[in-house]
Amino acid sequence: MSSPITSPITSSTFRAGALCGVLSGLLIALPALVEAFTGETTATSVPLGLSPAFALPLLTALQLRQRPATGRFAEVAHIVNLIGLGLFGSAAFASNLVLFYFDDDVVEEVLTGPTIPVLIGCAAVFAVGSALFGAAMIRARVFPTIPAWGFAVVLPLFAFLTGLSDSLLTIGLHILVGVILIWLSAALWRMGREAQHATAQARVAV
């Protein structure tokens, strides 16, 4: 009987999550790099608004891979991070694909009532979830140390600073987040190939 790590379903989940993670990282880093020279445009806002959605499968695949080396803390961290990413991704979608096309006066009128506190709350949940899940990856020692620490430290900063006006700081944070996601995705892809190879060897042995 195959273990969960070497099952065909799990190995394909690793690879699918890795591909989504690479796409998410590219959709964050490349537009930010372009904006360093052009400023925010429609061509850069659209991928930035869509990028969080592709990070969701990556988070699930990362947790599946490290689950044998973790406990309840990582499960809770994973759930909080998923919820936070869903909330933060919705805010990013609205900001980049809706508010971006409004005049400044309209935006100021729209961002009234509970809107701002809710957006701050979304960022806070995402920041806490990222810090917790990053800590879980550091403790598990399944993924490379540098991107695991980056996930725990850079993503929470990104959650609160990404709403500031475009600057070298915000552009740099976008690029760093993209690199972290791509790095983790590459490690996950390699593990997925190893899991597939182990499954093939097990079938031959049987």
Side-chain angles (χ1 to χ4, degrees):
M1 183 177 183
S2 300
S3 66
I5 292 181
T6 58
S7 69
I9 294 177
T10 306
S11 63
S12 64
T13 300
F14 293 164
R15 287 177 292 164
L19 288 174
C20 287
V22 169
L23 182 57
S24 179
L26 290 175
L27 290 177
I28 294 173
L30 293 181
L33 188 60
V34 172
E35 286 184 355
F37 301 95
T38 66
E40 190 173 8
T41 65
T42 299
T44 59
S45 291
V46 171
L48 285 171
L50 297 177
S51 60
F54 294 98
L56 290 168
L58 171 64
L59 285 182
T60 298
L62 291 173
Q63 175 58 16
L64 283 175
R65 177 60 187 88
Q66 70 176 7
R67 179 177 288 170
T70 61
R72 182 170 297 180
F73 172 77
E75 294 288 351
V76 173
H78 174 234
I79 292 172
V80 175
N81 203 9
L82 279 178
I83 294 172
L85 180 58
L87 294 171
F88 186 75
S90 299
F93 184 92
S95 176
N96 287 283
L97 295 176
V98 180
L99 298 180
F100 174 70
Y101 298 100
F102 291 170
D103 293 332
D104 291 342
D105 293 339
V106 176
V107 172
E108 290 181 6
E109 183 178 349
V110 169
L111 298 181
T112 57
T115 304
I116 294 296
V118 168
L119 290 176
I120 294 174
C122 292
V125 176
F126 175 62
V128 171
S130 297
L132 291 176
F133 192 68
M137 286 194 288
I138 294 169
R139 292 176 58 182
R141 297 182 180 179
V142 172
F143 296 101
T145 302
I146 293 176
W149 273 100
F151 199 100
V153 176
V154 177
L155 265 69
L157 290 175
F158 176 76
F160 287 108
L161 298 181
T162 188
L164 299 178
S165 301
D166 289 343
S167 65
L168 290 178
L169 174 62
T170 57
I171 291 171
L173 280 174
H174 278 79
I175 294 173
L176 274 178
V177 170
V179 169
I180 289 166
L181 296 181
I182 293 171
W183 195 337
L184 289 171
S185 299
L188 185 64
W189 178 269
R190 175 178 53 80
M191 294 172 187
R193 292 187 63 181
E194 291 173 354
Q196 185 181 30
H197 181 66
T199 300
Q201 286 186 325
R203 288 177 177 174
V204 171
V206 172

